[in-house]
Amino acid sequence: MKKRILSFWEIWNMSFGFLGIQFGFALQGGFMSRIFQTLGAEKDAIPLLWIAAPLTGLLVQPIIGYLSDRTWHSRLGRRRPYFLIGAVLSSIALFFVPYSPALWVAAGFLWILDASINVSMEPFRALVADKLTESQRTYGFVVQTLVIGIGTWVASNLPWLVSQLGVSDSAASGIIPNSVKVAFAIGAFVFLISILYTVFTTSEYPPEDMEEFKKEKSKKNQFIPDILNNIGNMPTTMKKLGVIQFFSWFAFFTMWSLANPALTEHVYNTAAPIQSLYDMSNAVEVSAFNSANTAFQKSSNLVGSAMGIYGLSSMVFALLLVLYTSKRKINRKYVHMFSLFLGGLGFILMYYASPENLKYCFVLIGLAWGSILSMPYAMLSSSVDPKKMGMFMGIFNMFIVIPQIIAALGGINFVSGLLGDKAINAMTVAGISLIIAGLCNLLITNKSAISYQS
């Protein structure tokens, strides 16, 4: 089936649902560690509490990719049914996360939230490859990155914004402040509305041979053999991209899980107060704890706001790429390599950052983030069988979640511990990891993956 060239606004409409997905990921990435700390988690335990997120992705994404490849609904098409199911579940989970009464409940909600977001997210990657010609794929993934950047910036600033509007940052011990609760409720609403927008404004191409598609679908389910067979026979370029992804996502998982404890402590000098160190039967001690807790919550808002800058800079980066790739070739390999180098520098500079200049570190990190969300997928989509795009996109995400699992199971604590016991050392490790990821781009030699007329 010959695909037509789509306009910017058609690509925008099919990508718009990612605004909501990124609201979910940005609130999760920017504030789950804060919720864990508020509920009493020590900073060394936080990466393990995050393990639900990558484990869920490891299980959910290949399954959803496989199922969406084999789905065709007369009204909703192939990928959109999964957008819709994921959006409803994610919105419910987002709303209730900040009402968690205990640490184990918050960890459980993270599991549900990440699984639900993944149900929506994985088919979005495949939709770009489904709908766009080879010549427009880099452009399509970059537009998707532009939308993601907007979502990251706005969602990361939500607790700060609602706090500025008068919603309280103060709360009793073990209670999530109202500013966070309101922010998550807004995120739940945006998630659902943005997905619905894409569902109602985007159509999908039906299978080229519907009879053959139905015949293939009616065959005995070979999910596990098919997954294992495709893992064993993945293209060489996909394996090389997997190495780059490993170090890239180890770095970003480190940021999401430990940036809040590292930066509130090192940059803002307002570490989360430990309740056991206070005599809560003494009014003076209670007042001191509440004061320290409010200072921590406010500095957490500022950390979240600073983190939002990486969404903003990734958006600007993506916009420049949209303008450039709509007319010209780019060398995806070198764009990605140098973007990762800059992101690594941003992490390393956090050790020397002040509250006033922390934002510049996140500007550099945003350049890496913008590239991570577009260049690997553009290179991958030129290297795999279009009929198995959903499955391969799901398998490719194994290279995202495996490094996160390793990081959560002690990888971050071990490697950063080699540099000392300061929480900020985790950000230095993230920087070194991104620089290694950048160097790994030299492994990519497939010419069609490196550069295609866009």
Side-chain angles (χ1 to χ4, degrees):
M1 180 183 297
K2 187 175 180 180
K3 300 175 185 176
R4 65 183 181 84
I5 299 296
L6 301 188
S7 69
F8 169 79
W9 289 112
E10 287 176 304
I11 298 173
W12 174 268
N13 288 344
M14 63 185 274
S15 302
F16 190 76
F18 241 118
L19 178 73
I21 290 173
Q22 200 54 37
F23 259 68
F25 273 131
L27 288 169
Q28 174 183 296
F31 303 103
M32 278 308 302
S33 290
R34 172 184 181 175
I35 290 172
F36 289 151
Q37 286 184 281
T38 300
L39 294 172
E42 296 182 8
K43 62 187 178 185
D44 288 344
I46 289 174
L48 188 58
L49 290 169
W50 270 84
I51 197 169
L55 270 179
T56 313
L58 182 64
L59 297 171
V60 170
Q61 293 201 15
I63 294 172
I64 295 300
Y66 177 84
L67 292 176
S68 68
D69 280 344
R70 297 165 62 87
T71 294
W72 182 257
H73 186 276
S74 59
R75 295 185 64 184
L76 292 176
R78 172 174 291 165
R79 315 295 180 186
R80 289 178 295 165
Y82 299 93
F83 300 167
L84 199 54
I85 293 167
V88 172
L89 295 175
S90 298
S91 297
I92 294 170
L94 268 174
F95 182 84
F96 284 107
V97 164
Y99 291 91
S100 301
L103 198 54
W104 69 270
V105 177
F109 265 126
L110 175 59
W111 197 295
I112 296 168
L113 176 61
D114 203 80
S116 303
I117 294 176
N118 274 294
V119 170
S120 282
M121 185 191 74
E122 196 284 329
F124 261 99
R125 298 295 191 192
L127 182 66
V128 170
D130 290 346
K131 291 276 290 179
L132 300 182
T133 63
E134 179 80 12
S135 65
Q136 280 197 302
R137 283 185 187 165
T138 297
Y139 185 53
F141 284 117
V142 169
V143 171
Q144 205 172 75
T145 301
L146 177 63
V147 176
I148 290 170
I150 296 169
T152 300
W153 180 62
V154 176
S156 297
N157 278 284
L158 275 177
W160 172 83
L161 178 61
V162 298
S163 175
Q164 294 299 107
L165 294 174
V167 181
S168 177
D169 286 314
S170 299
S173 174
I175 302 297
I176 314 302
N178 285 334
S179 57
V180 177
K181 292 176 180 176
V182 172
F184 273 68
I186 293 171
F189 176 77
V190 172
F191 198 120
L192 185 60
I193 294 301
S194 63
I195 293 286
L196 288 174
Y197 179 86
T198 287
V199 168
F200 289 120
T201 60
T202 302
S203 60
E204 296 187 65
Y205 291 119
E208 291 188 30
D209 186 335
M210 185 61 76
E211 290 303 314
E212 182 63 28
F213 176 81
K214 289 178 179 177
K215 192 181 298 183
E216 187 69 26
K217 186 178 175 182
S218 66
K219 289 181 181 178
K220 185 178 179 181
N221 194 318
Q222 295 290 309
F223 169 66
I224 293 177
D226 280 356
I227 288 283
L228 294 176
N229 181 59
N230 283 291
I231 289 174
N233 295 292
M234 71 176 70
T236 301
T237 298
M238 184 172 172
K239 295 175 185 177
K240 293 176 179 179
L241 286 168
V243 178
I244 299 167
Q245 292 289 80
F246 180 93
F247 290 103
S248 300
W249 287 87
F250 187 97
F252 273 86
F253 182 83
T254 300
M255 180 187 76
W256 293 323
S257 60
L258 289 175
N260 197 70
L263 299 177
T264 51
E265 177 184 305
H266 185 77
V267 177
Y268 292 95
N269 297 310
T270 55
I274 300 171
Q275 187 175 335
S276 61
L277 299 180
Y278 293 81
D279 179 2
M280 301 306 283
S281 64
N282 183 307
V284 174
E285 290 277 285
V286 170
S287 177
F289 174 87
N290 289 339
S291 177
N293 188 45
T294 299
F296 164 72
Q297 299 294 347
K298 287 186 176 297
S299 64
S300 294
N301 283 348
L302 294 174
V303 169
S305 184
M307 285 180 71
I309 296 294
Y310 88 85
L312 189 61
S313 64
S314 72
M315 179 178 69
V316 173
F317 176 78
L319 183 59
L320 292 175
L321 281 179
V322 165
L323 296 174
Y324 192 87
T325 59
S326 64
K327 302 292 183 182
R328 303 174 184 86
K329 291 181 181 180
I330 62 168
N331 188 305
R332 297 162 176 167
K333 168 179 170 177
Y334 287 121
V335 167
H336 196 42
M337 181 169 71
F338 288 110
S339 298
L340 294 178
F341 286 164
L342 291 172
L345 179 63
F347 277 120
I348 291 169
L349 289 175
M350 285 180 177
Y351 190 90
Y352 309 98
S354 67
E356 293 74 29
N357 61 33
L358 179 62
K359 57 182 175 288
Y360 300 114
C361 297
F362 281 108
V363 168
L364 295 175
I365 290 166
L367 301 179
W369 182 238
S371 189
I372 286 169
L373 293 175
S374 53
M375 293 302 109
Y377 294 99
M379 288 190 271
L380 176 68
S381 66
S382 299
S383 311
V384 300
D385 181 355
K387 293 179 180 178
K388 298 181 178 179
M389 191 63 69
M391 178 181 286
F392 274 120
M393 286 291 180
I395 293 171
F396 190 56
N397 281 304
M398 291 172 61
F399 297 119
I400 293 175
V401 298
I402 290 173
Q404 295 182 64
I405 292 170
I406 292 171
L409 288 175
I412 297 173
N413 290 340
F414 174 75
V415 180
S416 62
L418 297 176
L419 302 178
D421 59 1
K422 293 182 179 179
I424 195 63
N425 290 333
M427 299 301 100
T428 302
V429 168
I432 295 169
S433 187
L434 268 193
I435 290 170
I436 294 171
L439 291 171
C440 289
N441 278 272
L442 297 174
L443 298 171
I444 305 298
T445 56
N446 184 315
K447 290 183 179 180
S448 65
I450 291 170
S451 181
Y452 193 90
Q453 179 66 44
S454 300

